[in-house]
Amino acid sequence: MPFHKNELCGMVYLCEGLDRLSFYSPVPLVSVQVDVKVVNFTAQVEVTQQFVNRERNPIECVYFFPVEEEAAVVDFTAELEGRKIKTQIKEKEAAREEYNQAVKNRQTAFLLEETKPDIFEIKVGHLSPGAGCKIKMTYLSELPVEEGKTKLTIPTTVAPRYIPMSDGSPEATKIASIEHDFNSPVQMAMNLEVLMQTEISSVKSPSHLLAEPTRKRFKDYFEAKVKFAGHTTNMDRDMIIYIDTEEPNQPKVVVEKNDEGSSVAMLSFVPEFKLKDHQVEAVFLVDCSGSMSGQSMKLAKEALQVFLHSLPVNSFFNIILFGSSFQSLFPQSRKYDDDSLKDAKDSSFGISANLGGTEIYQPLQHIFQKPLMAGLARQVFVLTDGQVSNSSACIELVRKNSSNNRVFTLGIGSSADRHLVKGMARAGMGTAAFTTQGEPITAKVINQLKNALQPCISDVSVKWGNTNPLEGGGEVAVEIVETKKTLFGYGKPKTKTETKFSIRSQVPSKIPAIYDGSRLIAYKLLDKTMDVNDEITVKAKTTEGDLEVSLPICKDSFIQGNCLHQLFARKMIQEVEEKHEQENVDESKKLITALGLKYNLASKYTSFVGVDEKHGNSGTFMVTRHVKNQMPQNTGSGFGFSGLRSSSHCVIDSAPRSKGFAAQTDCSSMGDSYDSDSDFDSHLECASALSPPGAAAPARSYGGMQESFELSNTRGRSNISSIKGHSSSSSVLRLTMCQAANGSFPAQADIANILGVQLEKVKDAGKAINSDENFSTTWMTLVVVAFLTEKCKEEKDVWELVVEKAERWLQNSGPGFNNFLLGKAKEFILQTT
């Protein structure tokens, strides 16, 4: 095989030349440095990438890089051979034209464009032989609260995306061009600086090894600095860091004034409340596409088991699997009882990532078209890695059906699609969570279910100052002034028009549904700055009356800068894109463009561009080199690399090729996904509804998949044997798997073994109190409740729903629950365990 004659060092790619002969070419990306600064609940992330051309020809470097999907990309700088290159924000087409013209003129040029809200494309054009450059991208991001800790997530790789046949968007074409490799293009280094107003208890990561933090007091802040334990790491998974402080949930009001005299107020608080649960219909939509193979599928199955065992009595539920097609466990949602729970458990152990591509639109549409069950609130739980191109179409579908369906999402795996997962939760007035290897999944699942059981608090309004009205309805009246210089009305107001967005409205214009323990952040561009002793009031209407909180403005609330202005503008762009753009494309484009140019933001209509004034001397033609994204960590062998629309768009040099997954429209073509002995005749139904542009192509629906689920012959297994192999084997989780649907715990040896006592000893202690044979289940339930509350206090967030369900059963089963009996159970646990 002929080799390129340049000296090879570092990582190389196998390329194909014009004469179709293969040769090796050095990877132009030589280093990636990530510098993060966290201040309270916001993060500034600087990603510095260094490129070197070690070839004989000028090259164009193309690199698709992920960011947090709600982040505001606020700066892009370039340095070429030690010279700073001037970059600026421009309208997308103008920036692209300037870049292309510079490359034609043999000038080195730099371009940063948004492909999706969570994927950006970086281009370095006409980099001369031997030349090196350094580019820096800066973005700002809000940080959520999870399990009482501030969570920082920094994506590092773009996983392959499945592209439905019907998605002909420019974004899909771009996504299809992203190339992948099992090797990291370069090792990544990281510096993290954390500044908090209260003492920092810990800085930990379930995804990466971190060195011990260095700590000190810095003015009015507590500071911690952290690096990777090994200095560098592969770029194959999201970087996840939890920051624990003494008071992470303190409400905050900040008013920022910039150099132009403009003021933006930001409100942040984590509400704490408890309302009465309501009855629900829970529909679990589980991704079984090829990209879920390996660790992701294991996490999804564990999450599903926890969901099933934690459902409350009197609820209804169903499970739907999806890939290139979708299947339902039951033709209609069934009442949650021991029989339906056993069917669901036994069937779900047999699921695997064998259903082809990620066609999520059609099963979502199928769920939303089902009639609501009387007296039940439908809650849809989506478990997916979300690796699809048509995320915007899915988000819009959820938004259109949000009045009758709440959607909660669990992003699974080391590189889940954050735009799809978080976007659907926003649109569906639910919450989003992410889990990957190394993170406990049970608490996340339980928290999602707790939120779903709470009545939806979506009627929330904010009063920005004592003299201002409440805002939050999402509709803003705007007075439009005539600017055309005619004799008819110039300078006078036109008729007042009800519009859906304005740069002067708060964002989000309609406050999203609020949940106990989830951070709420809202922004307001003020007509005039606020004063000390003013206050911001949040008011929420609930089924149990109004809830209200007022946060005072103090002298420490005021800061100088432009960061809040940029976060405000990014949040407004997100709102326009997700709620208004389809109804008013031209006005939305104008507003997004104006916001991007005014606040220096990269967006779908604005891009950063920079051109070196010097012209290159090389007379040879330029070649394009794509920097390949690393495949996500623990990607299973079932991943369909050519499951994109065209296999030529996804090149994985060091990865074995595998047959792709196409959208199936013929039932007979699905044989590879199912056991040939399975019989679907009784429940087969074909989804024939037409999909709108950007939606998934019509796929077959299998109304009853019970036989399909039973491939692993798990029916009849005991509860304990069923959970062997789960990533979490704590006593709490194992006990959860033993609870009956009605909330009781039967007197069985499996349960006694988890408690660490002999079954006969448990029974004898119960008989000493009540000799009735029926009391044995009551006594075992009391003992389990006592064990969880006394011995597992640190895992309360995991067992809280289990204990609530058990206590309800005890209260409804006669004299089974009283302080005397519970006291006896606690005595028994403390004496025997």
Side-chain angles (χ1 to χ4, degrees):
M1 178 183 295
F3 287 85
H4 197 286
K5 291 185 178 180
N6 288 337
E7 180 181 357
L8 297 178
C9 59
M11 186 175 176
V12 296
Y13 285 147
L14 178 63
C15 303
E16 189 175 86
L18 295 176
D19 55 1
R20 306 196 67 79
L21 292 176
S22 297
F23 62 92
Y24 286 99
S25 177
V27 176
L29 180 65
V30 297
S31 72
V32 173
Q33 171 72 43
V34 178
D35 295 294
V36 188
K37 185 174 184 178
V38 172
V39 181
N40 294 323
F41 48 86
T42 59
Q44 175 183 284
V45 181
E46 293 181 346
V47 182
T48 304
Q49 300 165 350
Q50 190 169 355
F51 295 86
V52 175
N53 181 5
R54 292 173 288 185
E55 301 187 45
R56 290 183 173 182
N57 294 341
I59 64 172
E60 178 186 48
C61 309
V62 180
Y63 186 26
F64 289 88
F65 196 81
V67 301
E68 176 58 70
E69 65 100 33
E70 294 180 278
V73 178
V74 298
D75 198 15
F76 180 67
T77 61
E79 187 178 300
L80 178 65
E81 296 294 291
R83 306 190 312 274
K84 288 188 177 180
I85 306 301
K86 181 182 178 181
T87 58
Q88 55 186 322
I89 194 77
K90 291 189 174 183
E91 292 189 34
K92 190 171 214 173
E93 293 304 321
R96 191 177 291 173
E97 175 61 28
E98 182 174 337
Y99 172 85
N100 290 334
Q101 189 60 48
V103 170
K104 286 181 182 179
N105 295 338
R106 298 177 182 174
Q107 295 170 276
T108 302
F110 305 86
L111 182 67
L112 175 68
E113 286 189 341
E114 177 186 304
T115 301
K116 283 178 56 182
D118 58 344
I119 302 175
F120 282 78
E121 181 185 22
I122 294 171
K123 284 186 174 182
V124 179
H126 209 279
L127 187 62
S128 300
C133 68
K134 186 184 294 185
I135 61 174
K136 182 188 293 183
M137 176 178 66
T138 304
Y139 63 87
L140 306 174
S141 180
E142 303 165 354
L143 301 181
V145 169
E146 193 168 294
E147 299 177 37
K149 301 178 181 65
T150 300
K151 183 179 182 181
L152 169 69
T153 301
I154 300 178
T156 66
T157 190
V158 179
R161 298 291 198 263
Y162 180 84
I163 301 176
M165 289 293 186
S166 59
D167 189 357
S169 64
E171 293 81 5
T173 303
K174 282 274 191 182
I175 291 169
S177 72
I178 301 175
E179 299 179 5
H180 294 83
D181 198 287
F182 278 124
N183 295 315
S184 183
V186 71
Q187 292 290 292
M188 179 181 67
M190 184 272 294
N191 290 319
L192 170 62
E193 179 184 10
V194 181
L195 294 173
M196 294 286 182
Q197 290 178 315
T198 56
E199 189 166 355
I200 301 167
S201 304
S202 65
V203 180
K204 296 181 179 179
S205 172
S207 61
H208 292 75
L209 291 175
L210 301 180
E212 188 66 25
T214 59
R215 307 169 188 268
K216 69 177 183 179
R217 188 73 183 265
F218 181 76
K219 295 183 179 179
D220 295 330
Y221 286 88
F222 293 88
E223 180 188 69
K225 291 186 176 181
V226 185
K227 293 184 177 182
F228 290 136
H231 301 294
T232 61
T233 186
N234 285 344
M235 299 171 65
D236 63 348
R237 60 199 183 278
D238 293 346
M239 187 193 312
I240 300 167
I241 297 174
Y242 288 96
I243 303 165
D244 193 9
T245 60
E246 285 185 346
E247 299 180 54
N249 300 342
Q250 280 186 325
K252 291 180 176 63
V253 174
V254 182
V255 181
E256 179 188 77
K257 188 173 183 178
N258 66 9
D259 293 339
E260 297 177 359
S262 170
S263 294
V264 165
M266 181 187 70
L267 161 70
S268 168
F269 79 104
V270 180
E272 295 182 8
F273 58 88
K274 173 68 175 175
L275 301 178
K276 293 179 181 177
D277 292 349
H278 62 166
Q279 291 183 308
V280 300
E281 175 198 7
V283 181
F284 302 102
L285 183 59
V286 184
D287 187 348
C288 290
S289 62
S291 62
M292 286 285 292
S293 60
Q295 185 65 27
S296 294
M297 195 72 252
K298 293 178 182 178
L299 288 170
K301 291 169 73 171
E302 180 176 342
L304 183 59
Q305 289 293 316
V306 176
F307 270 128
L308 289 173
H309 277 276
S310 303
L311 283 172
V313 180
N314 297 325
S315 58
F316 283 68
F317 78 101
N318 203 350
I319 304 172
I320 297 178
L321 307 186
F322 73 93
S324 295
S325 64
F326 64 91
Q327 313 167 344
S328 300
L329 176 61
F330 308 122
Q332 304 291 336
S333 291
R334 276 180 57 180
K335 186 175 181 180
Y336 181 68
D337 56 28
D338 285 338
D339 290 336
S340 60
L341 175 60
K342 185 176 187 302
D343 284 344
K345 286 174 57 180
D346 291 346
S347 299
S348 63
F349 282 114
I351 68 176
S352 61
N354 63 350
L355 294 188
T358 314
E359 299 276 6
I360 189 173
Y361 189 100
Q362 199 71 16
L364 278 171
Q365 190 176 55
H366 170 78
I367 293 169
F368 297 151
Q369 288 174 345
K370 290 281 187 181
L372 295 174
M373 304 187 76
L376 299 177
R378 182 183 291 154
Q379 318 292 314
V380 181
F381 299 88
V382 182
L383 287 68
T384 181
D385 61 6
Q387 293 167 3
V388 295
S389 67
N390 63 332
S391 54
S392 295
C394 297
I395 292 168
E396 177 62 15
L397 176 66
V398 172
R399 187 185 69 81
K400 287 180 177 178
N401 292 275
S402 60
S403 58
N404 293 323
N405 302 270
R406 266 200 296 180
V407 176
F408 298 83
T409 53
L410 182 62
I412 294 176
S414 55
S415 185
D417 186 329
R418 305 187 69 79
H419 182 224
L420 179 76
V421 173
K422 296 178 77 171
M424 287 201 303
R426 277 195 306 271
M429 295 191 293
T431 56
F434 294 84
T435 187
T436 187
Q437 186 178 19
E439 286 191 283
I441 193 172
T442 308
K444 297 174 186 286
V445 170
I446 295 297
N447 188 61
Q448 292 278 71
L449 190 55
K450 284 180 186 177
N451 290 338
L453 296 177
Q454 292 283 295
C456 185
I457 304 178
S458 58
D459 192 351
V460 184
S461 52
V462 181
K463 186 177 180 181
W464 299 90
N466 293 324
T467 60
N468 292 322
L470 289 165
E471 292 185 46
E475 300 290 330
V476 183
V478 175
E479 188 174 72
I480 301 175
V481 176
E482 179 62 75
T483 57
K484 188 176 180 180
K485 293 188 176 180
T486 71
L487 293 174
F488 300 97
Y490 171 67
K492 290 192 174 182
K494 291 182 180 180
T495 305
K496 285 191 176 182
T497 304
E498 196 76 13
T499 184
K500 293 187 177 179
F501 55 88
S502 161
I503 200 168
R504 286 292 174 184
S505 64
Q506 75 175 22
V507 283
S509 59
K510 181 174 176 59
I511 298 295
I514 60 174
Y515 294 95
D516 177 42
S518 295
R519 191 189 302 279
L520 168 66
I521 297 180
Y523 302 87
K524 172 72 174 176
L525 181 63
L526 302 173
D527 294 321
K528 61 178 182 178
T529 190
M530 304 182 81
D531 300 319
V532 175
N533 298 325
D534 214 337
E535 63 183 15
I536 295 177
T537 301
V538 183
K539 190 173 185 179
K541 294 183 179 180
T542 78
T543 55
E544 299 178 30
D546 291 352
L547 302 178
E548 186 175 310
V549 62
S550 294
L551 306 175
I553 305 292
C554 62
K555 64 178 182 178
D556 294 332
S557 300
F558 297 91
I559 63 172
Q560 289 286 128
N562 204 43
C563 291
L564 290 191
H565 284 74
Q566 291 172 317
L567 286 170
F568 154 78
R570 175 66 187 95
K571 184 69 75 174
M572 177 157 281
I573 288 173
Q574 181 186 76
E575 170 141 341
V576 173
E577 289 176 343
E578 294 184 356
K579 296 184 180 179
H580 310 299
E581 191 167 20
Q582 286 198 348
E583 300 169 5
N584 199 332
V585 176
D586 292 338
E587 288 301 316
S588 296
K589 182 176 180 179
K590 288 179 183 177
L591 181 54
I592 292 171
T593 302
L595 287 166
L597 296 176
K598 180 178 177 62
Y599 294 104
N600 212 56
L601 298 178
S603 70
K604 66 189 300 182
Y605 298 122
T606 52
S607 304
F608 284 97
V609 65
V611 176
D612 183 23
E613 295 180 355
K614 291 187 177 182
H615 289 252
N617 297 321
S618 176
T620 56
F621 63 89
M622 182 184 75
V623 294
T624 298
R625 297 289 181 240
H626 287 261
V627 177
K628 298 183 174 104
N629 273 257
Q630 187 174 8
M631 291 294 293
Q633 183 187 46
N634 295 318
T635 299
S637 59
F639 199 109
F641 301 125
S642 47
L644 305 176
R645 187 168 49 228
S646 170
S647 61
S648 64
H649 286 140
C650 190
V651 180
I652 304 181
D653 286 337
S654 62
R657 268 56 167 187
S658 61
K659 187 176 179 180
F661 302 106
Q664 303 291 340
T665 56
D666 180 59
C667 294
S668 63
S669 63
M670 295 304 297
D672 290 342
S673 298
Y674 309 101
D675 190 320
S676 59
D677 295 330
S678 297
D679 179 14
F680 299 106
D681 291 344
S682 60
H683 297 302
L684 182 64
E685 61 182 47
C686 292
S688 57
L690 294 177
S691 303
R700 296 291 183 180
S701 163
Y702 294 84
M705 57 161 184
Q706 203 158 335
E707 289 82 359
S708 171
F709 259 130
E710 295 169 14
L711 304 183
S712 59
N713 295 320
T714 56
R715 190 169 289 277
R717 285 197 283 190
S718 71
N719 287 328
I720 300 306
S721 62
S722 297
I723 64 170
K724 287 180 180 178
H726 275 268
S727 61
S728 174
S729 58
S730 71
S731 298
V732 175
L733 179 59
R734 292 161 65 203
L735 284 171
T736 298
M737 300 299 178
C738 296
Q739 189 174 32
N742 62 10
S744 66
F745 287 87
Q748 294 179 349
D750 287 340
I751 298 175
N753 289 338
I754 297 171
L755 298 175
V757 295
Q758 294 180 349
L759 178 61
E760 290 305 316
K761 198 168 186 179
V762 177
K763 287 183 175 181
D764 290 343
K767 289 178 182 178
I769 300 171
N770 189 329
S771 59
D772 189 337
E773 289 185 4
N774 295 326
F775 184 69
S776 62
T777 299
T778 299
W779 175 245
M780 180 63 85
T781 303
L782 284 163
V783 169
V784 171
V785 169
F787 177 84
L788 293 173
T789 55
E790 293 297 316
K791 296 288 187 175
C792 308
K793 294 179 181 179
E794 293 183 355
E795 296 182 79
K796 183 179 179 182
D797 54 346
V798 177
W799 56 251
E800 189 172 7
L801 291 180
V802 174
V803 169
E804 285 182 8
K805 189 158 65 169
E807 289 177 347
R808 287 195 185 101
W809 178 82
L810 289 166
Q811 290 168 350
N812 294 330
S813 61
F817 185 67
N818 55 54
N819 290 335
F820 170 76
L821 289 176
L822 185 59
K824 287 291 183 181
K826 289 182 178 180
E827 285 179 15
F828 174 77
I829 284 295
L830 293 174
Q831 291 172 1
T832 59
T833 62

